[in-house]
Amino acid sequence: MFEQQIINGLTLGSVYALIALGYTMVYGIIQLINFAHGEIYMIGAFAGVTMVTMLGQGFFVSITVAMLVCMVLGVVLERVAYRPLRKSTRLAALISAIGASIFLQNAMMLWKGPQPVGFPQVINDAIYHIGPIEVSKVQLIILATSAILMAVLNYIIKYVKIGKAMRAASQDYDTASLMGININRVISFTFAIGSALAAAAGVLVGMYFNSVAPLMGVMAGLKAFCAAVLGGIGSIPGAMLGGIFLGVAETMGIAAGFSTYKDAIAFTLLIIVLLFKPTGLLGKPIQRKV
Amino acid sequence: MNQIFESILDPYYMQVLTLLGIYIIAALGLNLITGATGMFSFGHAAYFAVGAYGAAILTVNFGFPFYIALVAGGLMASLAAIIIGFPALRLTGDYLGIVTLGFGEIIRVVFLNMKITGGAIGLSGIAKETNLSIVIVLVMVTVYIMYALDNSRFGRALVAIREDDIAAESMGINVMTYKMKAFALGCFFAGIAGGLYSHLILYINPSDFGFAKSFEFLCFVVLGGLGSIPGVILGTTVLTLAPEFLRAVADYRMMIYGALMVFMMIIRPKGLLGDVNLHRIFFKKKYQKQANRSTAAGG
Amino acid sequence: MSALLELQDITIRFGGLTAVDEVNISIDSGTIRALIGPNGAGKSTIFNIVTGIYSPTSGKVLFNGEDITGTEPYMITQKGIARTFQNIRLFGKMTVLENVKIGQHCRTKSDFLSAVTGIINPVVKKEEKEIEENSLQALEIVELADKRYEYAQNLSYGEQRRLEIARGLATNPSLLLLDEPAAGMNPLEKQTLMKMIRKIQDMNLTIFLVEHDMKFVMNLSDRIAVLDYGRKIATGSPEEIQKDPDVIAAYLGKDVD
């Protein structure tokens, strides 16, 4: 059932890709590993669940609201935890990110308890058969939503003014700020977009596995970060490629009987790629300057 | 000596203080890697785990005496570090960080799948060998070693690599070898700490040694003051004892702990004792005197 | 007199760009040799090849008659070649004295275990004392001994350049490479530096330097090699170089015939 695994892998991979985009965009501009990004994804999932269960909304409204909530959260996170440390060492900002991540996890646990919460069916799930392959409606929705979001992102980055400013800032932060680009606005915007994508991923995953949990962002965030590094951190197509690659590889690995090693697959792949191509699949090589 | 502690301290606080000492040893090891040599290591818990499992398996399954098992656990952690360092240390910065994190998770997953470690069920039946007095002695030995290294040819080479690896290499330092030595040595202390840990907690499980623990070690070091020995001790103490003091706020404990980390980092971005060289403060007079004398002689 | 350093047909390409093109340079022991040329001519690249940071695409580097092409930088330093950097590369958060002590690294032996036994081990104590004395000597040559407890990053620009020289000297080299040692110095500092370099030459060292300040180069060097677009266009004494039409063309533009 190779084809079947490809479909399952693509579904998982597109979710990794959505989360990885947030990591890569933030890293591209301020070289920060935003370790609280996994928590944004988790909160997005909870926002979706809340919309569905408490307010009885459908898929479209739920995912939109979750994205908006996380946009605000992402911007606030940057203002509070990262902006004051922008001129400090990377490790200082990293510790602040870890602190923020612990804070968000525990805030959610306080609210919803540590146990997983069920995600009610918002879509009447159906299974389609294409030859020997089974595709569920949820899978199709995940794939379609991810594709649309990535297309929108691509449009923003290429054609919208603020998106071009983002690209400029990630090419050369100092020059961009000298050219009159408002760096603070660009960074806020980057966090907003990245967080919205993560929230969408959270809702999609909640729908796929029918459950969300306060600690769901930890492993998913870490693996998505691996995907970003694997693809070449700072590179947007790299994050997409890395996410898909990782999702497919992990699904294949589990299908091949390595399920107890599931969490090691991502890291093993990452290490192998980095040893041969130290800046990731689509990353630019670093020059050793003397 | 332990009887004295037992008579004045509640068993619970004995346990907390012993654990604090164990974490100080591991954190000082990480400080040698990240603080002195400037190599990011986000997988320190894995070497802690190697020491914990290594020592425990030797005492439980093979009847080794505790101290020998402890040293063997440390050496096993060093060996793991050398095997991993060989490919990983060619990378630098965040890439090294993420690769060490990856190797750390792989080690954990391997422990999860091994028979001798008890897999997911964990390893139990470990005898209680660690106590507060042993840990205090070992903390003192570790602190002594760290200070001795600080003022030696070896330690200077590590700091030079952190400051500028190309210049260090051009001054005749074999950068790769020294990075390797620093990594293996730092992980040796993690391994020793791990061995002490498993003989204190008496039951270990792979989930105790995930990357969350690695980040905890990293927080001890960075929050205390990267590269500062008293800073690392202070950072470890504050973060290990903070949850105890926060018991009063019960449910909000971990939330406040997270917020506290953000807050402390923002007000002291270089760590609590970052940039504070106690040696210079204590021996200020000596430094000034020497400087004055040489100026007088020169002028 | 025998050649201490000999570059034979050195070529290096980065991608499509030939940064250094079949360059031959031979430096006699005990002399001061300058390497000049417009920006981007490949001067620093040659230094990086000599010190092993780059491996040449083709050609050989001979030091004391021994082929050292492609040897690791730290081993080249051990063999007796020291250098300074064009864009100063000091260990900023170490003191001046510690910076120079690093230079002594490759001439000493104590390692991790000896560090730990340092307080009781007379061998280590003696070595540490030697390191200190030798380092102070090097600092005295560049007149920085009284700043030894300052952090390197707090020194003035000119002092930092001199500290780099002291650090290089502490490796006990027979050949010292100075990459733009006078850059950013005022005329007075340059005068002092020139005296220092002569003093270093008198200690039986050979000096190979890259420098843009022509007055400095002409006054100091025994011989000069000129590089333009990666090619060596002239070699000779300062007087010969000043009269060389190719050199004048390279510096003033090709129209001069």
Side-chain angles (χ1 to χ4, degrees):
Chain A
M1 286 311 286
F2 183 74
E3 298 88 344
Q4 183 65 53
Q5 297 307 333
I6 293 278
I7 291 291
N8 295 347
L10 279 178
T11 314
L12 185 63
S14 57
V15 170
Y16 283 150
L18 284 180
I19 313 174
L21 283 167
Y23 279 113
T24 228
M25 288 191 293
V26 166
Y27 192 93
I29 297 180
I30 52 175
Q31 277 79 50
L32 165 76
I33 305 175
N34 176 13
F35 263 106
H37 193 60
E39 275 55 55
I40 302 263
Y41 152 87
M42 175 271 292
I43 287 169
F46 271 97
V49 156
T50 310
M51 287 310 289
V52 176
T53 50
M54 293 171 87
L55 301 170
Q57 298 297 327
F59 166 71
F60 186 74
V61 174
S62 301
I63 199 170
T64 312
V65 171
M67 287 170 76
L68 289 174
V69 167
C70 287
M71 265 183 160
V72 175
L73 185 65
V75 172
V76 171
L77 174 72
E78 190 269 330
R79 281 303 274 269
V80 174
Y82 304 148
R83 191 168 297 182
L85 289 166
R86 209 178 283 161
K87 296 213 159 52
S88 310
T89 59
R90 283 164 176 217
L91 281 177
L94 188 72
I95 299 303
S96 186
I98 295 169
S101 146
I102 294 176
F103 175 82
L104 293 173
Q105 274 165 24
N106 287 283
M108 191 50 87
M109 267 197 252
L110 209 60
W111 184 39
K112 291 279 185 184
Q115 296 309 319
V117 174
F119 197 115
Q121 268 202 340
V122 270
I123 309 259
N124 292 321
D125 208 0
I127 307 272
Y128 305 102
H129 292 268
I130 310 166
I133 313 169
E134 281 181 7
V135 188
S136 69
K137 196 167 165 191
V138 173
Q139 283 184 317
L140 286 180
I141 289 179
I142 293 177
L143 290 170
T145 312
S146 313
I148 293 168
L149 289 173
M150 286 185 214
V152 170
L153 175 69
N154 207 36
Y155 177 80
I156 293 176
I157 299 288
K158 288 231 167 86
Y159 303 106
V160 178
K161 198 171 157 201
I162 186 103
K164 290 187 200 165
M166 267 171 72
R167 270 196 298 158
S170 75
Q171 288 278 326
D172 191 332
Y173 184 95
D174 295 324
T175 310
S177 58
L178 289 175
M179 300 315 252
I181 290 176
N182 182 343
I183 282 286
N184 283 335
R185 252 190 80 213
V186 170
I187 292 173
S188 290
F189 183 74
T190 309
F191 271 86
I193 294 200
S195 305
L197 294 175
V203 175
L204 294 174
V205 162
M207 224 167 65
Y208 193 36
F209 295 115
N210 294 320
S211 111
V212 296
L215 293 178
M216 70 190 276
V218 178
M219 222 357 129
L222 207 54
K223 281 187 195 161
F225 179 66
C226 280
V229 179
L230 192 81
I233 192 132
S235 150
I236 286 177
M240 297 181 190
L241 178 74
I244 303 275
F245 184 56
L246 199 63
V248 172
E250 209 177 279
T251 316
M252 295 286 183
I254 294 166
F258 294 108
S259 61
T260 50
Y261 286 92
K262 178 175 160 247
D263 289 341
I265 294 172
F267 298 109
T268 312
L269 266 179
L270 175 77
I271 290 164
I272 294 170
V273 169
L274 286 190
L275 292 181
F276 290 99
K277 214 163 170 302
T279 48
L281 295 172
L282 300 183
K284 280 175 242 125
I286 321 170
Q287 292 223 315
R288 204 181 180 203
K289 272 254 181 204
V290 181
Chain B
M1 189 162 79
N2 218 49
Q3 278 85 351
I4 306 173
F5 290 128
E6 271 165 11
S7 64
I8 49 171
L9 281 170
D10 183 293
Y12 177 76
Y13 286 109
M14 283 270 286
Q15 180 94 349
V16 171
L17 287 179
T18 314
L19 206 55
L20 170 63
I22 291 172
Y23 286 161
I24 287 176
I25 296 173
L28 284 171
L30 181 60
N31 185 49
L32 192 68
I33 300 169
T34 308
T37 323
M39 302 183 287
F40 286 7
S41 173
F42 300 167
H44 206 54
Y47 309 98
F48 187 72
V50 171
Y53 273 106
I57 289 168
L58 287 180
T59 57
V60 174
N61 296 15
F62 300 97
F64 272 57
F66 173 60
Y67 290 100
I68 293 175
L70 195 63
V71 174
L75 292 175
M76 284 184 228
S78 284
L79 184 68
I82 290 168
I83 294 168
I84 288 167
F86 202 69
L89 294 182
R90 283 187 295 163
L91 300 168
T92 53
D94 293 336
Y95 288 101
L96 175 60
I98 198 71
V99 163
T100 49
L101 190 157
F103 273 117
E105 283 300 289
I106 290 172
I107 289 183
R108 186 180 62 82
V109 173
V110 167
F111 280 146
L112 199 62
N113 284 283
M114 268 163 74
K115 267 222 178 66
I116 196 159
T117 60
I121 301 160
L123 195 68
S124 53
I126 308 166
K128 175 145 170 128
E129 300 278 2
T130 306
N131 61 42
L132 187 55
S133 26
I134 295 173
V135 169
I136 289 178
V137 171
L138 289 180
V139 166
M140 287 185 340
V141 171
T142 310
V143 169
Y144 163 72
I145 292 175
M146 294 300 161
Y147 268 111
L149 288 182
D150 233 18
N151 299 308
S152 72
R153 173 179 177 272
F154 181 84
R156 275 195 302 269
L158 302 187
V159 178
I161 291 171
R162 176 191 76 197
E163 290 292 300
D164 190 326
D165 59 337
I166 290 176
E169 178 126 23
S170 295
M171 289 303 120
I173 295 171
N174 185 345
V175 170
M176 202 53 207
T177 309
Y178 270 85
K179 279 185 172 179
M180 206 67 153
K181 284 180 186 170
F183 194 52
L185 193 60
C187 291
F188 174 78
F189 287 100
I192 293 286
L196 289 168
Y197 177 85
S198 56
H199 291 85
L200 175 74
I201 303 293
L202 313 185
Y203 166 77
I204 48 174
N205 179 298
S207 62
D208 301 344
F209 309 106
F211 63 88
K213 190 106 214 148
S214 296
F215 282 130
E216 215 178 308
F217 289 136
L218 192 66
C219 292
F220 293 162
V221 173
V222 178
L223 212 136
L226 204 56
S228 150
I229 296 165
V232 171
I233 295 172
L234 181 68
T236 312
T237 310
V238 168
L239 286 181
T240 310
L241 300 186
E244 304 302 326
F245 288 114
L246 289 173
R247 243 166 234 292
V249 288
D251 292 346
Y252 296 91
R253 190 165 71 120
M254 287 312 285
M255 225 174 101
I256 294 178
Y257 180 80
L260 201 68
M261 273 167 63
V262 176
F263 179 70
M264 287 202 280
M265 224 56 255
I266 289 171
I267 53 168
R268 299 276 312 164
K270 287 185 177 157
L272 296 172
L273 292 184
D275 266 9
V276 180
N277 188 337
L278 289 184
H279 193 257
R280 285 206 150 199
I281 294 173
F282 289 140
F283 298 99
K284 201 172 174 186
K285 288 221 176 94
K286 183 182 133 196
Y287 274 99
Q288 273 174 349
K289 222 186 269 168
Q290 278 179 340
N292 289 341
R293 202 186 306 143
S294 57
T295 322
Chain C
M1 228 189 275
S2 68
L4 180 69
L5 181 77
E6 222 179 324
L7 304 186
Q8 295 180 344
D9 298 322
I10 291 287
T11 299
I12 188 166
R13 287 189 200 94
F14 298 112
L17 178 84
T18 306
V20 175
D21 196 359
E22 302 209 344
V23 168
N24 289 286
I25 292 173
S26 164
I27 302 174
D28 288 338
S29 194
T31 60
I32 297 180
R33 164 68 61 100
L35 182 61
I36 62 170
N39 279 323
K43 306 179 298 290
S44 285
T45 309
I46 289 198
F47 270 26
N48 287 333
I49 291 172
V50 174
T51 52
I53 289 175
Y54 297 151
S55 267
T57 314
S58 64
K60 264 193 215 167
V61 183
L62 299 182
F63 180 62
N64 268 330
E66 180 192 357
D67 187 353
I68 58 163
T69 326
T71 308
E72 293 281 333
Y74 73 94
M75 290 184 66
I76 289 184
T77 312
Q78 285 170 6
K79 288 180 194 297
I81 301 181
R83 74 171 294 176
T84 66
F85 294 90
Q86 184 187 343
N87 45 343
I88 300 169
R89 302 191 83 121
L90 287 167
F91 309 116
K93 290 197 183 110
M94 296 173 89
T95 64
V96 167
L97 183 60
E98 282 168 336
N99 264 275
V100 184
K101 282 180 173 178
I102 290 291
Q104 280 273 296
H105 182 92
C106 60
R107 302 293 166 227
T108 44
K109 280 195 290 291
S110 64
D111 207 356
F112 161 67
L113 277 181
S114 34
V116 173
T117 58
I119 40 171
I120 45 163
N121 189 336
V123 181
V124 180
K125 273 185 167 169
K126 185 166 163 264
E127 190 179 84
E128 191 61 30
K129 210 175 147 214
E130 274 172 24
I131 293 176
E132 179 122 4
E133 280 165 8
N134 293 340
S135 303
L136 276 175
Q137 249 172 34
L139 278 176
E140 262 149 28
I141 295 167
V142 300
E143 292 167 16
L144 279 176
D146 53 336
K147 301 246 176 180
R148 68 189 121 164
Y149 295 117
E150 296 274 341
Y151 279 118
Q153 63 190 15
N154 297 340
L155 293 185
S156 76
Y157 194 75
E159 286 169 342
Q160 292 193 355
R161 289 225 172 267
R162 272 151 49 201
L163 177 54
E164 276 215 335
I165 296 177
R167 190 177 66 173
L169 285 176
T171 65
N172 292 355
S174 42
L175 173 67
L176 182 61
L177 272 55
L178 304 174
D179 202 344
E180 299 195 20
M185 286 188 174
N186 64 37
L188 197 70
E189 285 176 310
K190 282 180 188 172
Q191 279 298 322
T192 325
L193 178 66
M194 229 183 284
K195 266 184 233 150
M196 284 173 191
I197 294 178
R198 289 234 169 78
K199 206 157 69 182
I200 293 167
Q201 183 191 18
D202 290 342
M203 291 160 54
N204 233 340
L205 260 75
T206 309
I207 288 157
F208 187 18
L209 62 96
V210 162
E211 184 50 60
H212 279 294
D213 183 329
M214 283 307 139
K215 205 173 140 202
F216 188 88
V217 168
M218 298 299 165
N219 272 327
L220 196 61
S221 332
D222 297 310
R223 280 174 81 75
I224 298 171
V226 189
L227 222 56
D228 190 25
Y229 292 106
R231 289 177 161 276
K232 191 176 83 172
I233 56 170
T235 333
S237 65
E239 296 75 35
E240 288 163 354
I241 292 298
Q242 276 165 321
K243 286 181 213 133
D244 191 296
D246 287 338
V247 176
I248 297 166
Y251 271 92
L252 298 178
K254 293 288 175 200
D255 294 341
V256 185
D257 225 357

